[in-house]
C-alpha cells in the first residue's frame, strides 16, 4: 500500500506504542497522587511537556495538554476573548474546529467576520487588515492550511493585529505546521497556538495549546485543577509521553524533511501539469506552502470516485480534511474559487518523511490510468 493521506493522520511510531504500554500497563499511576510511583509518572509528564515546549520554542509552563487539536482550538476560541462581546475574525478556510466554534461564539453574541482567501487558501493580507479595529477581541488564522498547504505569514498578521486591536488575542491552528515547518511561537508573537499528536506519529486523542506568558484564560474544564487549573482531568500520561517523544523526534529532522518533501511537491505538480494540462487545476502554490500537501482538482471527474479507484489498486489519498462535514465540503471549494466540475474533483495528497519519488511516480501513473477509465463517465 502507498499511503498518501498523512494530513489526515499518520502511523504511530513503534516507540510510541512501547511508551503507551509502559505508562498505561506497567507504570499506570495517577500523577496527582502522593506516593513514589505516582511522583515518577508526574515527572514523566513534566519531561514530555519540556519536549513539546522545545519543539514549539517556548517555556514548558506555557503548554496545556488537551485531548486533541480540535479541543485545543475550541479552548482557544471559547476562553480566549477578554470581553463578552466584540468581533472575532477567522479565515474562510479554517478547520471545522475553528469555523464551527466561531459560529457557536456568534450565538453567544459575538460578531464573527470571515477574512477572504486567495485561490490557494492563503489569507489576502490587504483584505484582512481592513477588518481590524478596536472592536476585534480574537483572531484565529491557521498557520498551514490543512486543505491546500497554504502557508500564512502568521508573524506579519499577528503584528498587524497587535498594532490595530488593543484588546485582541491572536490564535493560530498550527496542527499542519507543527514539526513540519521551522518556527518558534515566541517569534510568531501569537497568544495561543494549537497542535495535535496524530499528525506527527503520536497517538490519536492527544493535543496541546500554547498559552503566551501573562495571558489569563478562563478554565476550559473545571475539576481537580490539573493543567494550571485550566483543563482539569487526570492526565493521560501514556499519550502525553508518546506525544513528547514524537515531537522531539520530528522536530530534529524538520529541515531535511521539508527540503525532501518540497522536491516531491515539484515532481507531483509537474507531472500533473504534463499529464493533464487544462484538465486539472493545482490548488497549492508550492512556492508559498508547507511541503507535505498538494491539492488539485480534476475537471469532470469526482474526487471521491478517483479516490476509490486509487484505493482499489493500493494507493490511499484524501479529498480534503477528514474532519470536514458535508457543509465544509461546499465551503472550502467556494473559498478557493473553484467553479463548475472542478468543485467536485478535489484530491489532497499528503506526504510523510518516508514518502519517496517512486511513490509519486506510481501515483501519477495511477491517476493517468484512472482518468482514462473514469473519463468515459465524465460529467458535463
Amino acid at each position: 500500500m502507498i499511503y498518501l493521506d498523512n494530513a489526515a493522520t499518520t502511523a504511530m511510531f513503534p516507540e510510541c506504542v512501547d511508551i503507551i504500554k509502559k505508562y498505561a500497563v506497567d507504570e499506570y499511576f495517577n500523577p496527582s497522587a502522593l506516593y513514589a510511583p505516582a511522583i515518577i509518572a508526574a515527572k514523566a509528564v513534566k519531561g514530555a511537556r519540556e519536549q513539546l515546549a522545545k519543539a514549539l520554542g517556548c517555556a514548558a509552563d506555557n503548554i496545556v495538554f488537551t485531548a486533541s487539536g480540535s479541543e485545543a482550538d475550541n479552548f482557544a476560541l471559547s476562553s480566549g476573548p477578554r470581553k463578552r462581546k466584540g468581533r472575532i475574525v477567522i479565515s474562510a478556510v479554517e478547520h471545522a474546529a475553528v469555523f464551527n466554534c466561531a459560529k457557536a461564539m456568534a450565538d453567544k453574541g459575538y460578531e464573527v467576520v470571515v477574512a477572504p482567501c486567495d485561490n490557494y487558501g492563503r489569507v489576502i493580507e490587504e483584505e484582512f487588515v481592513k477588518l481590524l479595529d478596536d472592536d476585534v477581541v480574537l483572531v484565529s488564522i491557521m498557520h498551514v492550511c490543512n486543505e491546500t498547504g497554504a502557508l500564512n505569514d502568521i508573524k506579519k498578521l499577528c503584528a498587524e493585529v497587535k498594532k490595530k486591536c488593543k484588546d485582541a488575542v491572536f490564535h493560530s491552528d498550527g496542527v499542519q505546521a507543527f514539526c513540519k515547518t521551522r518556527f518558534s511561537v515566541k517569534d510568531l508573537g501569537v497568544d495561543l497556538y494549537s497542535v495535535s499528536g496524530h499528525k506527527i506519529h503520536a497517538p490519536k486523542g492527544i493535543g496541546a495549546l500554547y498559552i503566551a506568558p501573562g495571558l489569563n484564560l478562563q478554565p476550559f474544564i473545571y475539576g481537580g485543577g490539573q493543567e494550571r487549573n485550566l483543563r482539569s482531568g487526570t492526565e493521560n500520561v501514556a499519550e502525553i509521553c508518546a506525544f513528547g517523544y514524537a515531537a522531539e523526534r520530528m522536530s530534529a529532522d524538520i529541515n531535511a524533511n521539508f527540503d525532501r518533501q518540497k522536491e516531491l511537491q515539484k515532481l507531483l505538480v509537474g507531472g500533473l501539469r504534463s499529464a493533464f494540462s487544462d484538465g486539472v487545476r493545482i490548488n497549492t502554490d508550492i512556492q508559498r506552502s508547507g511541503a507535505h500537501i498538494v491539492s488539485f482538482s480534476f475537471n469532470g471527474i469526482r474526487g471521491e470516485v478517483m479516490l476509490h479507484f486509487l484505493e482499489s489498486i493500493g494507493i490511499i489519498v484524501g479529498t480534503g480534511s477528514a474532519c470536514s462535514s458535508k457543509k465544509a465540503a461546499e465551503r472550502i471549494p467556494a473559498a478557493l474559487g473553484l467553479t463548475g466540475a472542478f468543485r467536485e474533483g478535489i484530491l489532497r495528497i499528503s506526504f510523510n518523511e518516508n514518502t519517496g519519488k517512486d511513490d509519486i511516480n506510481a501515483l501519477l501513473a495511477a491517476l493517468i490510468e484512472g482518468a482514462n477509465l473514469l473519463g468515459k463517465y465524465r460529467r458535463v
Side-chain angles (χ1 to χ4, degrees), residues 1-2 5 32-33 49 95-96 116 150 162 239 256 258 287 296 304-305 316 338-340 370:
M1 180 182 73
I2 298 175
D5 197 23
S32 295
R49 200 184 307 274
H95 188 278
K162 299 297 183 183
E239 294 201 1
F258 186 92
Q287 301 304 316
F296 56 92
E304 182 179 353
V305 175
I316 305 298
L338 291 170
T339 59

Side-chain angles (χ1 to χ4, degrees), residues 49-333:
R49 200 184 307 274
E50 290 170 349
Q51 289 173 309
L52 205 68
K54 184 177 180 181
L56 280 166
C58 66
D61 288 345
N62 300 130
I63 300 296
V64 170
F65 287 109
T66 64
S68 63
S70 290
E71 184 189 304
D73 286 340
N74 276 257
F75 187 175
L77 268 70
S78 299
S79 300
R82 296 185 175 103
K83 295 183 176 181
R84 294 185 178 182
K85 62 179 181 178
R87 183 181 304 151
I88 294 174
V89 180
I90 64 173
S91 83
V93 296
E94 290 299 314
H95 188 278
V98 168
F99 195 87
N100 290 333
C101 188
K103 287 170 60 179
M105 296 294 281
D107 292 338
K108 296 178 180 179
Y110 290 94
E111 176 193 6
V112 177
V113 296
V114 178
C117 296
D118 63 20
N119 290 342
Y120 297 112
R122 188 169 47 244
V123 169
I124 301 172
E125 295 175 2
E126 297 80 4
E127 298 300 318
F128 172 79
V129 171
K130 294 177 183 178
L131 302 175
L132 304 180
D133 59 28
D134 282 343
D135 290 333
V136 175
V137 294
L138 185 137
V139 174
S140 184
I141 304 295
M142 61 169 43
H143 197 169
V144 170
C145 177
N146 60 302
E147 302 286 351
T148 66
L151 179 65
N152 283 306
D153 189 341
I154 296 299
K155 183 176 181 178
K156 182 177 180 180
L157 298 179
C158 186
E160 289 289 343
V161 171
K162 299 297 183 183
K163 182 169 62 176
K164 297 178 182 296
C165 313
K166 63 180 181 180
D167 294 317
V169 171
F170 194 105
H171 165 254
S172 183
D173 179 335
V175 167
Q176 294 295 344
F178 182 52
C179 290
K180 296 179 174 67
T181 61
R182 181 69 66 184
F183 67 91
S184 159
V185 287
K186 286 186 178 180
D187 181 61
L188 294 178
V190 295
D191 299 299
L192 300 163
Y193 195 91
S194 305
V195 295
S196 176
H198 75 105
K199 311 295 187 180
I200 61 165
H201 305 288
K204 300 174 183 67
I206 187 67
L209 180 67
Y210 161 78
I211 303 173
L215 182 63
N216 295 317
L217 300 184
Q218 291 296 311
F220 184 61
I221 298 177
Y222 292 88
Q226 294 89 347
E227 296 301 297
R228 293 170 46 188
N229 204 33
L230 293 172
R231 199 267 184 189
S232 292
T234 302
E235 295 93 334
N236 187 345
V237 179
E239 294 201 1
I240 286 172
C241 291
F243 192 11
Y245 169 83
E248 182 175 73
R249 177 168 167 177
M250 289 293 291
S251 63
D253 295 324
I254 288 176
N255 293 338
N257 289 336
F258 186 92
D259 292 344
R260 187 182 307 112
Q261 289 170 7
K262 272 295 172 186
E263 292 303 312
L264 298 180
Q265 275 188 325
K266 294 175 185 177
L267 177 63
L268 176 54
V269 170
L272 289 168
R273 287 175 171 153
S274 175
F276 300 105
S277 187
D278 295 337
V280 70
R281 185 189 126 164
I282 308 300
N283 303 318
T284 299
D285 177 6
I286 63 174
Q287 301 304 316
R288 295 179 62 188
S289 72
H292 67 293
I293 294 175
V294 174
S295 171
F296 56 92
S297 302
F298 283 111
N299 183 7
I301 300 175
R302 292 180 62 198
E304 182 179 353
V305 175
M306 180 64 83
L307 177 152
H308 289 304
F309 168 78
L310 294 173
E311 180 185 12
S312 73
I313 58 175
I315 301 176
I316 305 298
V317 301
T319 57
S321 173
C323 302
S324 292
S325 65
K326 291 183 178 179
K327 289 184 178 179
E330 300 170 359
R331 171 172 63 91
I332 299 302

